[in-house]
Amino acid sequence: MNIYQISDNFTLDNYILAKELMRLANLSPNAFRYWKKCVAVKYYKSRVVFLHKKYIHEKYTDLIDKCSSLEGLVQSSAFCRCTNLSSSHLTKSNHSKIYDILNIEVIEGIKFINFKKFLAQYNLDYTYTVYIEKCKYFAPLEKKIKLTKKLCLGYY
């Protein structure tokens, strides 16, 4: 079994959280590593593993529907790397205005951002490269969308 590294803007549409499946199956957290034909992925510098729904061991396929849907989601650390946003903006107690804009979900103690919904909210294509910075750092002709009073979303 191999664990493949995925890009930061890769959404987890056909995947489930390995930690959640292992808990539901009452198995060791790393039991999936011994399954034949299992396809697993993880983000760069992350220890969180996701399993492709099609390649789950047949004994546990009935548990797939009980797992949380990861449709359109990316791990919060991947979102921060992808958009160049500081992770402190994703903490509610910091009172960042962007926290209210993002659709944040916590599954099994792991924070996720709905990346597809975020892009659709601003009519941006999934193929665009996006980044979030203070508006004052943008050049006059740069494509940008104002998110908050101080933060803008750039894209190309």
Side-chain angles (χ1 to χ4, degrees), residues 1-7 10 12 14-19 21-22 29-43 46-57:
M1 189 212 107
N2 292 324
I3 299 178
Y4 302 100
Q5 185 175 308
I6 53 178
S7 64
F10 183 86
L12 300 163
N14 296 313
Y15 291 85
I16 56 173
L17 187 60
K19 180 179 179 181
L21 180 67
M22 295 301 108
N30 290 318
F32 67 90
R33 293 180 186 268
Y34 302 102
W35 295 348
K36 291 180 182 177
K37 301 179 185 176
C38 183
V39 175
V41 296
K42 67 179 187 172
Y43 289 104
S46 176
R47 296 187 325 184
V48 180
V49 178
F50 306 95
L51 305 173
H52 197 287
K53 291 178 183 179
K54 261 176 129 175
Y55 301 100
I56 301 296
H57 193 283

Side-chain angles (χ1 to χ4, degrees), residues 121-133:
Q121 185 177 349
Y122 297 103
N123 296 321
L124 295 175
D125 191 58
Y126 183 68
T127 60
Y128 283 5
T129 299
V130 295
Y131 53 98
I132 299 172
E133 285 188 35

Side-chain angles (χ1 to χ4, degrees), residues 41-90:
V41 296
K42 67 179 187 172
Y43 289 104
Y44 176 69
K45 288 191 176 181
S46 176
R47 296 187 325 184
V48 180
V49 178
F50 306 95
L51 305 173
H52 197 287
K53 291 178 183 179
K54 261 176 129 175
Y55 301 100
I56 301 296
H57 193 283
E58 57 271 357
K59 188 175 178 181
Y60 305 106
T61 54
D62 59 318
L63 295 175
I64 293 173
D65 293 334
K66 294 180 183 177
C67 291
S68 304
S69 172
L70 301 179
E71 188 74 29
L73 301 181
V74 295
Q75 196 174 349
S76 62
S77 58
F79 179 81
C80 289
R81 280 192 304 275
C82 176
T83 60
N84 200 30
L85 183 71
S86 172
S87 60
S88 63
H89 288 281
L90 303 181

Side-chain angles (χ1 to χ4, degrees), residues 104-116:
I104 299 172
E105 294 182 36
V106 178
I107 302 169
E108 294 285 323
I110 301 160
K111 199 177 284 188
F112 295 93
I113 309 292
N114 194 325
F115 193 56
K116 281 190 176 177

